Amino acid sequence: MITLVVLGVMAVVFVTVFLPMMKNANKMLAGANEMIQAQTAAANLRMTGLPAQARVLIVQPTGTMINYQPQCRVDLEVYRPNAPPYRAAILAVIHQMAIPRVQPGLVVPIKIDAANPNNIALDV
């Protein structure tokens, strides 16, 4: 009888405590995986993208830190050779030493995906 009570209590604890914790852990892992994929894509774009320039319009920290570096939403006005300027917004992890170079009004080097001009990486 005591064994059944103990098993019942363990089942209740598992369902009410550990199961929600496992779901939360899965969400956190999925988010971390998504950030890693985004950083890998940005690194690849910095190596293979077309060079261009952009004027920084707005920089807004998202509150997320990746390797102690802030992730920011950066609104840009993009200038490509032989094309009209256009606006784009990106999420970028900005190294703390580069923050002074990525401020509203400044022109920054970027790399653009030739197949998708809205796919942009800061090259600072």
Side-chain angles (χ1 to χ4, degrees):
M1 183 60 135
I2 293 175
T3 304
L4 289 176
V5 171
V6 170
L7 287 175
V9 169
M10 288 175 60
V12 169
V13 168
F14 179 78
V15 170
T16 59
V17 176
F18 293 114
L19 208 53
M21 286 174 59
M22 288 172 47
K23 287 180 183 177
N24 190 34
N26 283 337
K27 287 180 187 176
M28 289 174 58
L29 286 173
N33 189 32
E34 188 176 306
M35 281 192 271
I36 289 169
Q37 288 175 347
Q39 290 306 305
T40 301
N44 288 337
L45 185 56
R46 278 191 291 277
M47 291 174 35
T48 62
L50 303 173
Q53 292 186 331
R55 180 173 312 283
V56 177
L57 302 174
I58 299 171
V59 179
Q60 295 176 319
T62 64
T64 299
M65 299 289 279
I66 300 174
N67 292 334
Y68 303 106
Q69 309 303 324
Q71 180 189 53
C72 298
R73 176 193 159 102
V74 183
D75 290 4
L76 302 166
E77 186 171 59
V78 177
Y79 303 100
R80 294 186 303 165
N82 304 318
Y86 64 96
R87 290 188 176 205
I90 62 171
L91 287 178
V93 176
I94 302 174
H95 190 281
Q96 290 185 7
M97 297 299 287
I99 289 172
R101 295 185 308 232
V102 184
Q103 294 296 313
L106 297 179
V107 175
V108 295
I110 60 172
K111 293 290 182 89
I112 300 174
D113 184 343
N116 179 4
N118 287 319
N119 187 10
I120 299 168
L122 293 177
D123 198 21
V124 292

